[in-house]
Amino acid sequence: MKILHINSYFSTSRFYKHFFDNQIDQNVDIDAFVPVSKSFETEMDFGEYTSVSRCYNSFDRYSYFLKQYKILKAVQSSYHINSYDVIHAHSLFTNGYIAYKLSRKYNIPYIVAVRNTDVNRFFKKMYHLRGIGIEILKNAQKVIFLSEPYKQLIINNYVPKHLKKLFLQKSHVIPNGIDDFWFHNRPINLKNIGSDVINLLYVGDINENKNLLTTVNAIKLLNRIGMEAKYTIVGKVRDKSIFNKLVKEPFVEYVQPIPKEKLISVYRKNDIFVMPSIRETFGLVYAEAMSQGIPVIYSRGQGFDGQFEDGKVGYSVDSKNEKEIANKISIIKKNYINFSENCVNNVSRFSWKTISKMYINLYYSVLRKK
């Protein structure tokens, strides 16, 4: 079985290498085509199976079809397309269009993933491209969503009524995975929360979307009712105005970005991971926290919601409701050890080995008949 991956996001998302390497380990013959701008520079090791193609100019992104034409021309000149059994497009509009065109020309089945950008940029704002998005989905053999809420959002809001049943039948929810480092370093003994201070944690970029100031307001509510809470924030400062408001709070400790070998000790020093993002495709940090026995609070209707039954490894919340966030923190604290055990016992679903097997089964289910 030979798979052609089309993945423009591999240029900025290093975690895809774990996915591709696992497919190699499971004896799948793959090539990964990564279209990027001519100005793109990196020192990242993409693997010998990857072709990074500097095939368009940065201003081409203003013309969707011109950019797609250049990418399509480049991929066809890079590979013998007819040699592939399945094409895997790692996004709907940017990569899926290429898979759609190749499938029509070479009669090769394709599966396509729907990402945050597809939902919140293309479908939501680029009305003129919605039709091509539906066409790509309609002709795909399988459609992959990172979360159940995003699947429901697309099908309920953008898919024509007569196609909903078809789309539901071929749609699958498969999460992203986390580095094996987190599985190899799961804690042997789980802690319980003491009666004094509860330590809350956030890891990620500091920007408006991550909604850290609402978490701060939730902490103030907890402190008012006598539950002392501290808040550790680890990540890059993307919005200085938000950062300046955060560090003014006496209960906030800021830590600059650190490698996973040091980050693991930060996870273990804290009790609950809180990230009520406004928008979130998935959020690998939720799974990283779970691997260390840390319960998680996540946004209702966004990427991580639906991965588990609410109340199993943490809780979903209204991202703008500080009262609900404070309440869920309080509930987790009262039954902490059960939440912590559930986190460690269920995090294996985010193993790249497990996820790769799921995709390989999908490939076999749509395999081209030769």
Side-chain angles (χ1 to χ4, degrees):
M1 181 170 60
K2 192 171 184 180
I3 311 299
L4 175 60
H5 291 274
I6 303 174
N7 190 349
S8 57
Y9 293 91
F10 190 18
S11 61
T12 55
S13 300
R14 293 173 180 266
F15 70 79
Y16 282 111
K17 193 169 189 300
H18 298 294
F19 175 50
F20 294 141
D21 287 347
N22 267 279
Q23 293 207 334
I24 295 289
D25 291 343
Q26 295 179 55
N27 298 314
V28 180
D29 185 4
I30 72 168
D31 285 309
F33 179 75
V34 183
V36 296
S37 167
K38 291 179 180 178
S39 61
F40 175 75
E41 294 183 5
T42 185
E43 296 181 357
M44 177 178 165
D45 174 19
F46 289 93
E48 59 183 17
Y49 46 77
T50 301
S51 173
V52 177
S53 177
R54 293 171 175 81
C55 55
Y56 60 86
N57 298 309
S58 57
F59 57 80
D60 287 334
R61 66 190 180 92
Y62 297 107
S63 175
Y64 175 80
F65 289 105
L66 175 60
K67 178 181 174 182
Q68 294 300 305
Y69 170 78
K70 291 184 176 182
I71 295 173
L72 183 62
K73 184 178 178 181
V75 70
Q76 290 180 98
S77 65
S78 299
Y79 302 106
H80 178 53
I81 304 298
N82 251 325
S83 66
Y84 296 98
D85 300 299
V86 179
I87 300 171
H88 183 164
H90 288 261
S91 71
L92 176 58
F93 285 90
T94 301
N95 304 147
Y97 182 82
I98 304 303
Y100 164 72
K101 297 294 282 188
L102 292 176
S103 178
R104 287 180 62 116
K105 182 174 181 178
Y106 298 97
N107 195 32
I108 302 172
Y110 68 93
I111 71 171
V112 63
V114 180
R115 293 173 55 93
N116 176 48
T117 303
D118 298 313
V119 176
N120 289 307
R121 181 186 170 203
F122 284 99
F123 266 122
K124 188 175 182 179
K125 299 178 180 179
M126 304 183 79
Y127 304 95
H128 63 293
L129 293 178
R130 287 180 181 174
I132 192 62
I134 296 299
E135 188 70 12
I136 296 166
L137 291 171
K138 186 172 71 174
N139 286 275
Q141 275 62 45
K142 300 290 181 182
V143 180
I144 311 302
F145 295 89
L146 294 178
S147 69
E148 183 66 27
Y150 271 27
K151 183 183 85 172
Q152 295 299 329
L153 188 154
I154 292 295
I155 292 175
N156 292 336
N157 291 281
Y158 300 110
V159 173
K161 187 175 181 179
H162 69 282
L163 293 175
K164 290 184 188 293
K165 184 176 180 180
L166 169 66
F167 279 38
L168 284 168
Q169 289 173 343
K170 64 181 179 180
S171 293
H172 299 261
V173 175
I174 303 178
N176 284 331
I178 57 175
D179 194 308
D180 283 346
F181 169 85
W182 300 102
F183 295 104
H184 296 156
N185 290 280
R186 279 182 279 191
I188 297 173
N189 298 310
L190 299 177
K191 65 178 181 180
N192 207 339
I193 292 184
S195 58
D196 298 329
V197 180
I198 184 167
N199 297 294
L200 307 177
L201 175 66
Y202 166 82
V203 178
D205 287 346
I206 297 171
N207 59 32
E208 184 179 7
N209 180 57
K210 297 302 183 180
N211 202 25
L212 283 79
L213 293 175
T214 300
T215 302
V216 164
N217 290 334
I219 293 170
K220 290 178 179 178
L221 290 176
L222 291 173
N223 289 342
R224 285 190 203 122
I225 62 172
M227 185 184 296
E228 186 179 356
K230 294 186 177 180
Y231 190 23
T232 299
I233 298 170
V234 183
K236 289 184 179 180
V237 178
R238 303 295 188 184
D239 189 318
K240 288 186 178 180
S241 64
I242 291 175
F243 174 76
N244 290 336
K245 291 177 183 177
L246 292 169
V247 295
K248 285 180 180 178
E249 302 295 343
F251 51 77
V252 169
E253 178 186 359
Y254 170 68
V255 178
Q256 292 185 352
I258 51 178
K260 59 182 180 290
E261 291 80 8
K262 293 183 178 180
L263 182 59
I264 192 170
S265 65
V266 177
Y267 275 119
R268 291 181 179 180
K269 288 177 182 177
N270 285 278
D271 304 314
I272 301 174
F273 183 88
V274 185
M275 189 170 79
S277 303
I278 298 169
R279 294 177 301 277
E280 194 74 61
T281 304
F282 173 65
L284 294 174
V285 283
Y286 295 119
E288 290 177 2
M290 282 179 57
S291 76
Q292 302 308 303
I294 309 300
V296 293
I297 289 178
Y298 45 92
S299 299
R300 188 172 299 119
Q302 292 300 313
F304 197 79
D305 190 15
Q307 298 292 335
F308 300 97
E309 179 185 353
D310 207 33
K312 187 168 188 177
V313 300
Y315 286 102
S316 66
V317 294
D318 176 349
S319 63
K320 290 294 187 179
N321 189 333
E322 60 260 32
K323 290 183 180 179
E324 184 179 11
I325 294 170
N327 181 53
K328 292 300 190 287
I329 290 170
S330 179
I331 292 172
I332 291 173
K333 184 177 185 292
K334 292 175 183 176
N335 198 24
Y336 187 81
I337 196 65
N338 283 348
F339 281 102
S340 186
E341 288 175 350
N342 285 342
C343 286
V344 173
N345 292 337
N346 289 277
V347 73
S348 58
R349 71 172 297 167
F350 304 118
S351 160
W352 278 119
K353 184 176 182 180
T354 299
I355 292 166
S356 291
K357 287 180 179 178
M358 296 172 72
Y359 276 106
I360 290 169
N361 288 336
L362 285 184
Y363 300 154
Y364 276 117
S365 74
V366 305
L367 210 59
R368 176 166 67 154
K369 305 285 190 300
K370 291 187 177 179

